[in-house]
Amino acid sequence: MKPFRHLLILGTIGSGKTSLAYYFTKEEKRLIIVDTVFEDRYQHAGVIVHNLDQVGEILERQKRFRIVFRSGNRGDLKGVFEYARAAGDLVVLVEEASLYETMGPWAASRNKDDVFQKVVILGRHDQVKIVATTQRPANVHNLLISQSEILLGKVFETNDARYLRGLGGVTSETIEKACSLPDPALKDGRLSISYLTPLDNAVHTVDIEI
Amino acid sequence: MAETEVKPPEKETVSQVRERLSSEKEEASVADPEGETCPVPSCGRVVKYLSHHINYMAGKGERAHIEFKESQVRAPEVAEKPHFSPGAGDALVAMLLAAALAKRPNLILPDGWKERAGEAHQMVLEEHVGPWIGKRSSLAYLAFVWGELLTVNLVVARMKTADSPDSETEIPEQHPAAVS
């Protein structure tokens, strides 16, 4: 039985993080996408809502849902996590997680009752899985990093590469391999994206329909 | 003795969370009914859904909003407010100058140097030191200041002033009164 792990997708701009996140969640029947920068990819990924109460309303009424949450208020992410814990058995996909103080390096340590910390640690118990994408792993709390399966896209930033080394099996060899991953390529209406799994240093490629 | 059953703490239901968040939002809106001010300098409008507004304006081709949106994705720390108030650069220059003058009281300074140095330090603090230290500890800023103080001390120790001797090994002339 595969252990319960959150999923963290790291990589620079254009490395295919959003497409990978979409690929790994497209079969989920209970999904909340926190669409931070209003990605085109999520335009048809679910019902688009703009305020937190609409998220709660859908969770109350429906057993199955795919919600694309586009809010102007980054503080709403806490509310999303609270709903997720209450509803249980769902996936929360957070785009550009490093933009949220709720998921930042200092957030969870300030308050032991922090809902983000609870979701990360008690995720298996509540069956709430976090899928997060970020360009800046140093700006994401290492609690999430330690509890996540990491997928590495192309990495350019020296400081991020330095930070990654030592995390979850990421070695210098992993970084070198990640830096030389091919860019996502479009062919015959499908996007081919390569990523690395640090634990076995294996390169994987997925073809995603556009 | 009968065992007492220990139950796990009850979790809130979705309805309870919804009710609580709604009342929290009402309290917040009473306290501050306004939305957020758009951080794009040329806009500055108060908007309720900030990202929506920024993306809408970017979609209309508003160049400043496109650039801000891109800067948010690439380097979120750039959008943070400056960590140093106006005058911090001048204050830093004054401190460095005091350290230099303690070593070289007759130090010669070019005209306007203090003002230009103050402006340069203000720029460095706001655009480089501030975003770099971000939410890190103020020890980083202290290290920066101490580094500058040390540099100034080392440099002025070797600088010449208007009445400094040409050679550090020059033996001063013996006072005639000291000749026995």
Side-chain angles (χ1 to χ4, degrees):
Chain A
M1 188 170 91
K2 212 175 170 185
F4 178 91
R5 304 275 280 172
H6 302 290
L7 183 65
L8 193 56
I9 303 172
L10 309 175
T12 191
I13 301 171
S15 57
K17 299 187 299 297
T18 299
S19 298
L20 274 178
Y22 175 77
Y23 174 78
F24 285 113
T25 56
K26 64 181 178 162
E27 304 297 330
E28 294 294 334
K29 293 181 173 48
R30 290 166 62 88
L31 171 69
I32 303 174
I33 300 172
V34 182
D35 187 8
T36 310
V37 288
F38 298 17
E39 294 278 358
D40 292 338
R41 168 67 77 179
Y42 297 131
Q43 193 62 30
H44 304 289
V47 59
I48 296 176
V49 300
H50 294 286
N51 74 59
L52 201 52
D53 192 62
Q54 288 175 308
V55 174
E57 189 181 346
I58 294 172
L59 260 56
E60 270 187 311
R61 291 184 185 183
Q62 294 176 214
K63 284 203 168 80
R64 292 181 177 195
F65 48 82
R66 288 177 64 92
I67 300 170
V68 178
F69 182 43
R70 291 177 170 176
S71 164
N73 182 2
R74 290 198 188 143
D76 282 345
L77 182 64
K78 254 193 169 171
V80 170
F81 282 137
E82 298 208 41
Y83 276 132
R85 280 208 77 217
D89 189 25
L90 57 82
V91 173
V92 179
L93 193 175
V94 183
E95 275 287 332
E96 300 297 347
S98 56
L99 294 182
Y100 292 95
E101 200 177 310
T102 300
M103 296 176 75
W106 314 108
S109 59
R110 283 200 293 263
N111 179 1
K112 296 300 175 200
D113 287 328
D114 183 78
V115 65
F116 164 66
Q117 185 175 219
K118 283 183 177 173
V119 169
V120 173
I121 296 172
L122 300 176
R124 186 176 64 85
H125 174 73
D126 299 326
Q127 287 299 298
V128 174
K129 181 171 176 173
I130 296 175
V131 174
T133 73
T134 183
Q135 299 171 44
R136 308 300 305 276
N139 287 356
V140 173
H141 201 287
N142 57 13
L143 186 66
L144 177 63
I145 297 174
S146 68
Q147 300 294 314
S148 297
E149 184 183 348
I150 297 174
L151 302 186
L152 216 51
K154 202 156 186 172
V155 173
F156 281 142
E157 195 71 36
T158 316
N159 286 334
D160 287 335
R162 201 178 292 144
Y163 181 82
L164 284 172
R165 215 165 277 130
L167 279 180
V170 177
T171 61
S172 299
E173 188 198 340
T174 316
I175 300 290
E176 224 174 282
K177 249 182 164 173
C179 289
S180 50
L181 282 172
D183 291 330
L186 193 58
K187 192 179 175 186
D188 301 328
R190 298 179 78 85
L191 188 65
S192 180
I193 302 173
S194 297
Y195 65 92
L196 196 70
T197 42
L199 286 180
D200 55 5
N201 265 345
V203 177
H204 308 268
T205 303
V206 294
D207 289 326
I208 301 170
E209 222 169 84
I210 298 293
Chain B
M1 194 193 305
E3 282 185 15
T4 311
E5 190 183 337
V6 177
K7 290 181 185 173
E10 281 188 21
K11 235 175 28 170
E12 278 182 303
T13 62
V14 172
S15 304
Q16 286 169 331
V17 171
R18 195 177 169 198
E19 211 175 294
R20 178 170 52 80
L21 291 178
S22 186
S23 63
E24 282 172 8
K25 190 179 171 187
E26 264 176 36
E27 285 169 12
S29 67
V30 166
D32 181 13
E34 295 183 356
E36 289 181 81
T37 306
C38 180
V40 175
S42 59
C43 177
R45 282 160 56 181
V46 174
V47 290
K48 200 172 177 188
Y49 300 113
L50 193 56
S51 288
H52 177 76
H53 162 74
I54 288 170
N55 283 281
Y56 172 69
M57 298 299 282
K60 284 177 71 178
E62 224 280 337
R63 189 68 227 162
H65 283 86
I66 294 171
E67 285 172 359
F68 177 78
K69 185 181 167 185
E70 285 172 356
S71 75
Q72 280 292 293
V73 174
R74 289 198 177 93
E77 66 272 15
V78 172
E80 285 182 5
K81 292 175 188 170
H83 299 275
F84 297 95
S85 56
D90 290 330
L92 188 55
V93 167
M95 187 171 62
L96 295 171
L97 194 56
L101 288 171
K103 282 258 190 280
R104 287 280 185 265
N106 298 320
L107 198 65
I108 299 170
L109 295 173
D111 288 337
W113 177 86
K114 274 175 64 178
E115 290 72 30
R116 287 200 297 277
E119 282 168 15
H121 275 80
Q122 188 71 27
M123 185 271 290
V124 168
L125 289 175
E126 285 182 1
E127 294 189 20
H128 298 285
V129 178
W132 177 64
I133 61 174
K135 291 189 169 83
R136 298 175 180 84
S137 78
S138 55
L139 279 175
Y141 171 60
L142 282 175
F144 166 72
V145 170
W146 278 108
E148 279 210 317
L149 274 172
L150 183 64
T151 306
V152 159
N153 272 279
L154 288 172
V155 167
V156 298
R158 300 185 67 82
M159 278 174 71
K160 292 179 185 176
T161 59
D163 56 358
S164 65
D166 286 331
S167 166
E168 286 181 357
T169 58
E170 183 180 310
I171 300 168
E173 194 178 317
Q174 198 172 22
H175 196 280
V179 173
S180 57

